[in-house]
Amino acid sequence: MKIRVYYLPFLWLLCMLVATPQTRAQQSPAQDSLAVIRIEAQQVQLQLQTPAVTQEKEEAKQTEEASKGIQNPPPLHKVFAWHKIFWAIVFALGGYFIIRFSSALLERFAERNAQYRIQVKGLLPIIKIFGWLIVLFIIIEGVFAPPIETILTISASLGIAVGFASQDILQNVFGGILILLDAPFKVGDKVEIGGQYGEVVEIGLRSTRIVTPDDSLVSVPNGKLMNEAIINSNAGEPNCQVVAELFLPPYIDTQLARKIATEVAQTSQYIYLNKPITVLFFHTLNQQRPYLKMRLKAYVMDIRFEFNFKSEMTELFLQEARRQGLFSDADLKG
């Protein structure tokens, strides 16, 4: 049977209608599997996002609790309880006796070893300051252990009052720390500060103590030392230069006088011969009378022999000068 050409479009449409349900039935499993995969991917994505969201919520909660803690710090009677105060006193007394005992040991060792006396004594202020800082840290952090909120509250309330009331104290404390760092002098040095001359026996947080030649104890505030000229005779060394001055008649033989002074200095029990001996002469007036001032400059083994050396030089030089006829007693009387 012959099929006419104009029937072909109708036959094609009929085939398509019959084949479409089967094709859809064949494609539906694939589409269902794709849908399942998409659902599972969305679930995995939600699971991955859940910890991050939970963590953000926890951080927000902690921040809120911290802000509430700052606004409402714990009461002071819980921080400064009686048992904590008791242990704070125990640690403070223990630190005091330990620091004092160690300082006494170093002091005794320094006095028995003149060569290392100044170096060892220079450690005393450092040991005391750092020792008390350690004790203070133990008491605050280990005993009281106040929360940061309490520290902020106390600091805010007392900071202004303490600042105005203790300006001089803080200035002296900072001055003591700067002296330890800059080290213009050490314990054991002979210094002159503001017209006061003597040996430095202690460098504290508030003041520096000096013993003068007449055995007087002078306390100089550290804040004042920052604006004062400081003359250091030995700069940390046990030996130092000592100057002995004598007034002589203007006509004496200076060559003979220099020879006598040099020999007398060389035979002294206090002399430090590793450094030079110098004798200088100057014309001067005393009560309208001309004199020749002799300056004998030499070094002593220990700074503490300064005045012993001056006295010995004066006595020995005058005895030897008279014996060699450099001048007479009448010349000295004028």
Side-chain angles (χ1 to χ4, degrees):
M1 182 178 61
K2 294 183 180 180
I3 301 174
R4 296 182 181 274
V5 177
Y6 53 84
Y7 288 152
L8 290 176
F10 296 100
L11 291 174
W12 178 81
L13 181 61
L14 181 62
C15 292
M16 290 296 296
L17 293 174
V18 174
T20 299
Q22 296 178 355
T23 305
R24 289 180 179 177
Q26 292 176 357
Q27 291 179 352
S28 60
Q31 293 177 352
D32 293 340
S33 62
L34 290 174
V36 170
I37 292 173
R38 289 173 183 171
I39 294 172
E40 292 178 351
Q42 292 177 357
Q43 291 178 354
V44 171
Q45 187 176 3
L46 289 174
Q47 291 177 358
L48 292 175
Q49 291 178 353
T50 301
V53 174
T54 305
Q55 184 177 2
E56 292 180 357
K57 290 182 179 179
E58 290 180 355
E59 291 179 355
K61 184 177 180 181
Q62 292 176 358
T63 305
E64 185 179 357
E65 291 178 354
S67 62
K68 289 181 180 179
I70 294 175
Q71 295 175 358
N72 300 314
L76 292 180
H77 70 271
K78 291 185 178 180
V79 177
F80 299 99
W82 286 111
H83 67 281
K84 293 183 178 181
I85 295 176
F86 170 77
W87 284 111
I89 295 174
V90 170
F91 279 109
L93 291 176
Y96 169 77
F97 287 111
I98 291 174
I99 294 172
R100 186 172 181 179
F101 178 73
S102 58
S103 300
L105 285 180
L106 286 176
E107 186 84 21
R108 184 174 300 178
F109 174 77
E111 292 297 333
R112 292 183 178 180
N113 297 270
Q115 183 178 0
Y116 304 104
R117 186 182 71 246
I118 297 178
Q119 289 79 0
V120 174
K121 284 193 172 184
L123 299 175
L124 291 176
I126 300 175
I127 291 175
K128 291 180 180 179
I129 291 175
F130 281 97
W132 281 115
L133 288 177
I134 292 173
V135 172
L136 187 62
F137 176 79
I138 292 174
I139 293 174
I140 295 177
E141 183 66 22
V143 178
F144 292 110
I148 188 64
E149 299 84 9
T150 303
I151 296 177
L152 293 176
T153 304
I154 296 175
S155 300
S157 59
L158 298 180
I160 298 176
V162 172
F164 281 107
S166 60
Q167 288 183 356
D168 294 337
I169 296 176
L170 293 177
Q171 183 181 5
N172 292 331
V173 170
F174 285 119
I177 295 174
L178 290 177
I179 289 173
L180 293 177
L181 295 176
D182 189 39
F185 55 84
K186 298 178 181 178
V187 176
D189 286 351
K190 284 290 187 72
V191 298
E192 182 177 351
I193 304 172
Q196 299 292 337
Y197 178 76
E199 180 181 348
V200 179
V201 294
E202 183 180 355
I203 301 175
L205 281 177
R206 194 191 67 83
S207 63
T208 297
R209 292 177 174 83
I210 300 172
V211 174
T212 61
D214 57 355
D215 203 24
S216 298
L217 183 63
V218 179
S219 296
V220 183
N222 292 329
K224 183 180 179 181
L225 296 178
M226 306 308 299
N227 300 318
E228 289 283 344
I230 301 173
I231 301 174
N232 196 329
S233 299
N234 57 319
E237 296 186 8
N239 62 83
C240 80
Q241 187 183 81
V242 178
V243 180
E245 294 184 346
L246 292 95
F247 289 90
L248 303 174
Y251 56 83
I252 64 170
D253 185 357
T254 56
Q255 295 294 330
L256 181 58
R258 179 177 285 106
K259 178 182 177 182
I260 295 173
T262 303
E263 291 177 351
V264 168
Q266 290 174 346
T267 58
S268 173
Q269 59 180 328
Y270 309 113
I271 194 67
Y272 183 67
L273 293 175
N274 291 339
K275 292 188 177 181
I277 300 172
T278 306
V279 180
L280 303 174
F281 295 94
F282 302 92
H283 281 285
T284 185
L285 293 175
N286 186 11
Q287 295 181 358
Q288 303 301 322
R289 296 176 60 88
Y291 283 94
L292 193 66
K293 182 170 69 173
M294 183 185 73
R295 299 187 66 183
L296 172 62
K297 301 170 65 176
Y299 288 81
V300 293
M301 293 183 296
D302 193 325
I303 186 65
R304 292 181 175 178
F305 298 151
E306 175 186 6
F307 299 102
N308 300 61
F309 178 76
K310 285 184 177 182
S311 177
E312 184 184 53
M313 287 301 96
T314 302
E315 295 176 7
L316 294 180
F317 177 81
L318 292 178
Q319 292 176 6
E320 188 65 21
R322 288 193 188 96
R323 192 181 67 82
Q324 296 193 24
L326 183 64
F327 53 80
S328 61
D329 294 338
D331 297 328
L332 295 178
K333 293 179 181 179

